[in-house]
Amino acid sequence: MRLPRTRPRSLAGQLFAMQVVLIAAVVAGCAVFAYVSGSAQAEQTATRQVRAAAVAVADSPSVREAIRTPDPSAVLQPYAEQVRRDTGIAFVTIMDTERRRWTHPDASLIGETFLGHTEEALAGATFTETYTGTLGPSLRVVTPVRDGEEIIGLVSAGITVDRVSSQVREQLGALALAAGGALALGGIGTYVINARLRRHTHGMNAAELSRLHDYHQATLHAVREGLLMLDGQRRIALINDAGRELLGIAPETEALGRTVDELALPAPLTGALLASKARVDELHLTAERVVVVNTRPVVGGERRGTVVTLRDHTELQALTGELDSERGFTQALRSQAHEAANRLHTVVSLIELGRVEEAVEFATAELELAQVLTDRVVGAVEEPVLAALLLGKAAQANERGVELELAEDSLIDDGALPFSLAQRDLVTILGNLIDNAVDAASEGDSPGAVPAQRTASQGGGRARVTVTALACDRELLLRVSDTGAGIGPEEADEVFRRGWSTHGAGRGLGLALVRQAAHRNGGSVELDRAPEGGARFTVRLPLGDRTAGVHEKKVTA
């Protein structure tokens, strides 16, 4: 039977165990050190105590006088016992130079030989030794009693080893109590700290935290949505690769710790990131992208920061524009099919009426009218995507009563555009410019118009949009002008801002996308007044090494 796998101890539990062991080891080490030093100190104190007592007795004049009497014990015994009781030592023994005792705590042992060494004392020195005598092992000091230069007796004062040990044991008990208290306080403090750590780590162990960190880093680098986390001071606490790309922050730029104001983002986007309230699916423009921004404050008693998610809306917006173009193409084809059916019926009717020559003339005229622009576009613009776009937009413009014509100086050879110039960006630029021009020309008047500056051609001629597409001198020039009302100088700087439109709310993204696509390819957009009186937009895009583009296309083919 397989035993269930036990979950490894959490990080907080491991730290708690390690800290308890560490505290116990420190306390035990301190206790051992205190015991050793206390024992040594107790021995030194006892030695000083008995030495002082022995020297004081030996230097006492009454002791010297008593030694000279016929019965020294009669005087010295009471004196020695009084000193012993006053000093708290074990014994004070006064003896003659032959080691015969004159005093002893046990009076029955007076007169017997002193147990211990006396050679050094007889030589005139005071020394210390540990010796087992009648009272057991004792720490004793032996010193001579002098009468002038003559040694007339010896004094030994001592304290038993048991008494020294008992003093150490008393100190050790207090030390053990203090050590136990320190261990208990350390354990409680460690438990409190680790309980808080356990809450913050959600009970995970070190391996789980390491694995979670690895997953966290992998997720941040793998997710395609931009993720940005701001702290309470609006500084960047975290940003992933997609966030850097969407906000235009170079990989080598250190972003962590910087405030949002230092990123040089457009003012509306900066305001959205710094907002104290949540933002949901807001559309913002950077220099090269359309970004959908969502923000949510992180609160927990106080403002802790903001979590920001960023989604790239550039491709979706471009696809939406292409879909709109396709829808317009479809409508134009449906309308042309309807018109072609009407013309075919007219031709058939003329033939039935016997007017064959008139039928041929009518059909030939219609064919020539439809073929002129096609021949002009195909002959001047050999880039298939741009040619198809121009023909489709021409059909759409015709349905709205606007004539779309290609300027005489237009010329784009096949292979003139390098692969680095995305075809989608060309469709975005030229498609949006033509759409806006057709709108302006078909309306003939708009809130941004400048009536005083209109030319005579606007008054009675057919609405017209003129397109110039020219690739030369390593530069692609795309120019679109119209016969509409034009744009006033006071609004020239606002037309590229998201939301600017003469058609009300919900519009005004096309020109912003045009400038964005131009900047993305290192180009520029200019606005001035067309000779016909309307607006004229000029886009210039660098082509780089044109021969490299031709070579790449040939290799691909």
Side-chain angles (χ1 to χ4, degrees):
M1 182 179 66
R2 293 183 60 184
L3 295 176
R5 295 180 60 185
T6 57
R7 185 173 182 268
R9 187 185 295 271
S10 67
L11 178 63
Q14 294 177 10
L15 290 177
F16 175 72
M18 292 173 58
Q19 289 171 342
V20 168
V21 171
L22 179 61
I23 291 175
V26 170
V27 171
C30 292
V32 171
F33 174 77
Y35 172 74
V36 173
S37 61
S39 298
Q41 186 177 5
E43 185 175 346
Q44 291 175 0
T45 301
T47 301
R48 287 194 299 268
Q49 184 180 4
V50 296
R51 185 185 185 90
V55 172
V57 171
D59 291 341
S60 175
S62 59
V63 171
R64 289 194 294 268
E65 292 177 359
I67 291 176
R68 298 293 185 182
T69 63
D71 186 9
S73 295
V75 177
L76 294 178
Q77 174 67 10
Y79 175 74
E81 286 300 295
Q82 183 65 41
V83 172
R84 181 183 66 82
R85 287 191 295 269
D86 291 344
T87 58
I89 60 179
F91 64 90
V92 176
T93 300
I94 304 174
M95 70 198 85
D96 61 16
T97 54
E98 300 297 329
R99 301 198 304 172
R100 188 173 61 250
R101 298 188 186 101
W102 286 325
T103 65
H104 193 277
D106 186 355
S108 62
L109 297 179
I110 295 175
E112 295 186 3
T113 303
F114 173 76
L115 300 179
H117 300 93
T118 59
E119 292 81 4
E120 293 184 33
L122 291 174
T126 301
F127 70 95
T128 303
E129 68 173 350
T130 300
Y131 195 87
T132 302
T134 58
L135 300 179
S138 62
L139 178 66
R140 59 182 64 182
V141 173
V142 182
T143 187
V145 178
R146 297 175 182 273
D147 186 4
E149 295 298 328
E150 182 184 2
I151 297 176
I152 59 176
L154 302 173
V155 176
S156 176
I159 186 170
T160 60
V161 174
D162 289 341
R163 181 175 296 184
V164 176
S165 299
S166 65
Q167 293 176 355
V168 173
R169 284 193 295 270
E170 291 176 1
Q171 295 177 357
L172 183 61
L175 177 63
L177 183 62
L183 182 60
L185 289 177
I188 293 173
T190 302
Y191 177 80
V192 172
I193 294 174
N194 283 275
R196 184 173 183 181
L197 178 62
R198 187 180 296 107
R199 288 196 301 270
H200 286 302
T201 59
H202 302 286
M204 291 186 288
N205 57 46
E208 290 172 333
L209 287 173
S210 177
R211 186 165 57 251
L212 182 63
H213 176 268
D214 293 339
Y215 289 158
H216 172 266
Q217 292 297 319
T219 301
L220 285 180
H221 291 288
V223 69
R224 295 196 63 186
E225 279 197 354
L227 179 62
L228 180 69
M229 293 186 182
L230 308 176
D231 61 16
Q233 284 72 44
R234 308 302 202 281
R235 294 174 303 194
I236 298 177
L238 183 146
I239 185 170
N240 66 349
D241 297 342
R244 284 177 172 273
E245 182 179 357
L246 293 177
L247 295 180
I249 303 175
E252 64 274 6
T253 302
E254 180 58 43
L256 297 182
R258 300 177 63 185
T259 61
V260 175
D261 295 335
E262 298 176 7
L263 300 180
L265 299 174
L269 179 55
T270 301
L273 297 180
L274 297 179
S276 58
K277 295 183 179 179
R279 301 292 182 95
V280 179
D281 290 342
E282 286 193 358
L283 201 64
H284 290 273
L285 291 180
T286 65
E288 297 181 356
R289 296 182 182 276
V290 181
V291 180
V292 179
V293 178
N294 286 273
T295 68
R296 182 173 294 276
V298 179
V299 293
E302 60 181 9
R303 180 182 176 89
R304 296 183 179 178
T306 304
V307 176
V308 181
T309 60
L310 308 167
R311 295 200 311 273
D312 191 356
H313 201 261
T314 308
E315 293 185 3
L316 181 59
Q317 191 64 41
L319 290 174
T320 301
E322 292 180 14
L323 180 60
D324 291 340
S325 297
E326 295 294 336
R327 184 181 295 110
F329 296 160
T330 303
Q331 294 175 352
L333 289 174
R334 184 182 299 112
S335 177
Q336 286 184 346
H338 180 71
E339 289 299 320
N342 290 336
R343 292 164 184 162
L344 182 58
H345 292 158
T346 302
V347 172
V348 171
S349 298
L350 288 173
I351 294 175
E352 290 177 346
L353 294 174
R355 299 176 177 270
V356 177
E357 293 182 0
E358 295 179 8
V360 172
E361 182 181 353
F362 178 80
T364 302
E366 289 296 321
L367 181 61
E368 290 177 352
L369 183 63
Q371 193 65 29
V372 169
L373 180 61
T374 301
D375 293 341
R376 179 76 186 93
V377 170
V378 172
V381 181
E382 297 184 13
E383 187 66 29
V385 174
L386 291 182
L389 177 66
L390 288 172
L391 292 175
K393 291 298 183 183
Q396 286 181 285
N398 186 59
E399 291 299 321
R400 300 181 58 179
V402 177
E403 179 184 356
L404 190 149
E405 64 178 15
L406 189 64
E408 293 295 331
D409 57 347
S410 296
L411 179 62
I412 299 180
D413 295 329
D414 187 22
L417 305 183
F419 282 172
S420 59
L421 185 58
Q423 294 180 343
R424 176 170 292 176
D425 287 341
L426 292 178
V427 172
T428 297
I429 293 172
L430 193 56
N432 280 289
L433 290 180
I434 292 176
D435 288 341
N436 286 349
V438 170
D439 287 342
S442 61
E443 292 175 2
D445 197 1
S446 68
V450 186
Q453 296 181 3
R454 291 187 186 176
T455 63
S457 62
Q458 287 179 273
R462 184 182 180 187
R464 185 172 66 257
V465 171
T466 303
V467 177
T468 302
L470 178 62
C472 63
D473 298 330
R474 296 189 177 183
E475 180 183 76
L476 173 63
L477 182 143
L478 299 176
R479 177 176 291 147
V480 179
S481 60
D482 60 71
T483 58
I487 298 174
E490 68 280 359
E491 294 180 329
D493 295 333
E494 294 293 320
V495 295
F496 298 106
R497 177 177 53 82
R498 183 182 71 87
W500 186 93
S501 176
T502 62
H503 299 87
R507 302 289 297 276
L509 191 60
L511 290 178
L513 292 176
V514 168
R515 184 175 66 174
Q516 195 177 78
H519 287 174
R520 186 161 53 242
N521 290 277
S524 63
V525 184
E526 299 174 0
L527 168 63
D528 59 0
R529 178 163 294 280
E532 298 85 355
R536 180 171 64 178
F537 290 88
T538 302
V539 178
R540 301 178 186 275
L541 301 176
L543 297 180
D545 189 355
R546 219 186 306 177
T547 59
V550 174
H551 177 69
E552 289 177 359
K553 287 193 175 184
K554 288 181 178 180
V555 171
T556 303

